[in-house]
Amino acid sequence: MAITNVDVFQVEWPDKGGQGTDGRSAWLRIRDDSGHEGLGEATPMLGGLASATIIRHHFAKMLIDADPLDAAVLQERMFHHAVKIGPDGALAGALAAIDIALWDLKGKILNRPVYKLLGGAWRTTLPHYASIGGIRPRSVDEVLRLVEKRLEHQPALIKIRADAYRTERDADLAGDLAKAKAVRKLVGDEFPLAFDANNSYSVGASIRMGRELEQLGYRWFEEPVQHYHVQAMGEVARRLDIAVSAGEQTYTLQGLADLIAAGVRIIQPDIVKMGGFTGLLQAQALAHAHGCDVIPHMTQPSIGNTANLHFVASQLHGWAPCELDDPSDRQLRLFTKIPRRTNGLYHLDDSPGLGLELDDHALAPLRREIPA
């Protein structure tokens, strides 16, 4: 059993996709000598081009002739081969794409869904939460209209965001609070809500805003300060009753350990950024050992989302819904088979691997090659 082909490329979306993605996604196909194929996806930031380039020019040759069942061994070899250009960011995204593809391939070789290979599913019917993104200035009324539209998809929770960029700090606390209050009034006292500050507050503003969110009954307060200020994130977490979450921009197990040590009690690694299934399994074990929750971050609605569904299905304490940032059908249309939402719920079946079937004819006009 050996890997025979590694095909990495970008998909360019006609609608240009989400913020920071350059309108592109980075996808990967790995084939073995029995004809099976695994699909993977890298971090979408800047179109995933940096991760895809690392795979094409450095990791593809390391994968050819390797045993596709050796996912953890291969990940460590590739990680340490290129660790000096990481360990975060594009390197981690490249490893994530490869790992997801290898688990998908393993499932097809063994004729089992990935969630079975992860140890089994605690649930195969999974609720989602509506993550309302697109950072730009918005009025209270605009936010309410967005929430109303997403409520039509029957989410189990809604997360709204501070409308500020990373280079701004404490830009409109009064406006952010007004939106948080208006959304609470719209959905009622019992509907679950969360708030993402997009790294845009100072420590003092985070504490003030967090106390207001506590009174409004929000479930968690996401990344109130810059993600790289780990001690500041921990200080905010320790001084609030509302759970502070972080980790979507943390790409290593050691980085997550630092967040937990600082005081964060919800970590949010992303399967297309942090080592794929292998990375998230390590993150889950770390969190479980410290009594923390894992609520994976996920914004990619096809390969990445499906991989995340398999992981969440296998979580013992996976109480939170799965994140859905992009409710469009722009990626769904490239698959003849993919888990779809029915009445707000995703349903996983027993199809081998991730259970995805890619439509090559639909993919062809959107495919973009990685520069040589």
Side-chain angles (χ1 to χ4, degrees):
M1 190 179 302
I3 294 170
T4 58
N5 184 262
V6 178
D7 180 26
V8 60
F9 55 92
Q10 288 181 297
V11 179
E12 183 166 13
W13 305 108
D15 61 6
K16 298 305 178 186
Q19 182 214 16
T21 68
D22 286 353
R24 296 187 177 195
S25 298
W27 287 9
L28 174 68
R29 305 170 87 164
I30 297 179
R31 298 185 181 92
D32 73 353
D33 54 4
S34 66
H36 292 104
E37 175 182 276
L39 297 174
E41 182 169 15
T43 171
M45 303 317 299
L46 302 181
L49 180 59
S51 294
T53 300
I54 292 171
I55 294 172
R56 174 170 179 176
H57 292 287
H58 302 284
F59 291 161
K61 59 189 175 185
M62 297 178 68
L63 291 167
I64 297 298
D65 293 329
D67 189 327
L69 300 185
D70 288 344
V73 171
L74 289 168
Q75 182 165 128
E76 288 294 341
R77 284 179 178 163
M78 290 181 289
F79 174 80
H80 286 96
H81 176 75
V83 69
K84 289 188 178 182
I85 64 167
D88 297 320
L91 171 58
L95 294 173
I98 292 167
D99 191 80
I100 293 168
L102 288 176
W103 279 85
D104 185 27
L105 182 55
K106 182 193 298 186
K108 291 170 181 173
I109 292 169
L110 300 178
N111 197 33
R112 293 289 185 274
V114 170
Y115 64 76
K116 284 287 188 183
L117 305 182
L118 297 174
W122 291 93
R123 62 202 70 77
T124 55
T125 300
L126 301 163
H128 80 281
Y129 78 82
S131 181
I132 297 177
I135 302 169
R136 61 179 178 81
R138 288 179 288 206
S139 67
V140 171
D141 187 64
E142 286 176 309
V143 172
L144 291 177
R145 301 295 79 80
L146 284 169
V147 170
E148 287 175 338
K149 186 172 182 61
R150 296 299 293 275
L151 283 170
E152 296 173 2
H153 301 149
Q154 298 177 261
L157 179 147
I158 285 178
K159 182 175 74 180
I160 64 171
R161 284 176 164 80
D163 296 324
Y165 295 96
R166 293 175 180 276
T167 53
E168 300 172 345
R169 178 179 287 188
D170 303 343
D172 187 16
L173 289 172
D176 293 341
L177 180 56
K179 292 165 189 172
K181 288 180 175 178
V183 171
R184 170 51 75 202
K185 183 177 180 181
L186 174 69
V187 301
D189 292 339
E190 301 303 319
F191 191 89
L193 294 171
F195 188 92
D196 185 349
N198 278 318
N199 315 105
S200 65
Y201 296 155
S202 63
V203 169
S206 297
I207 293 168
R208 293 195 299 274
M209 187 67 175
R211 287 173 179 157
E212 295 283 358
L213 294 172
E214 288 171 358
Q215 295 303 310
L216 291 169
Y218 277 64
R219 294 287 181 90
W220 72 80
F221 186 18
E222 190 166 321
E223 291 195 321
V225 302
Q226 287 287 1
H227 75 282
Y228 46 75
H229 290 316
V230 174
Q231 293 306 313
M233 192 78 74
E235 180 181 353
V236 175
R238 293 191 303 272
R239 294 178 64 178
L240 292 174
D241 292 330
I242 187 173
V244 168
S245 67
E248 70 172 82
Q249 298 167 100
T250 302
Y251 293 69
T252 66
L253 192 65
Q254 294 77 15
L256 292 177
D258 290 341
L259 282 173
I260 292 172
V264 172
R265 286 296 173 263
I266 294 178
I267 57 172
Q268 297 182 285
D270 189 315
I271 199 165
V272 302
K273 295 179 180 178
M274 193 199 144
F277 288 106
T278 300
L280 260 64
L281 285 170
Q282 293 172 341
Q284 179 64 46
L286 176 69
H288 187 57
H290 288 87
C292 298
D293 288 321
V294 176
I295 303 177
H297 176 268
M298 171 43 55
T299 62
Q300 303 310 293
S302 61
I303 300 173
N305 180 62
T306 303
N308 189 55
L309 293 175
H310 280 262
F311 174 76
V312 173
S314 73
Q315 280 187 282
L316 171 59
H317 297 128
W319 59 268
C322 300
E323 181 173 17
L324 179 63
D325 179 80
D326 181 356
S328 76
D329 66 351
R330 64 185 177 91
Q331 293 186 323
L332 298 179
R333 63 191 177 208
L334 294 187
F335 293 87
T336 57
K337 185 176 185 300
I338 193 169
R340 297 178 183 270
R341 297 188 317 278
T342 304
N343 298 323
L345 301 172
Y346 283 101
H347 301 273
L348 292 176
D349 60 22
D350 59 358
S351 299
L354 294 175
L356 297 172
E357 294 179 6
L358 186 58
D359 183 342
D360 284 301
H361 180 73
L363 171 65
L366 303 180
R367 177 178 169 128
R368 302 292 180 266
E369 301 304 325
I370 305 304

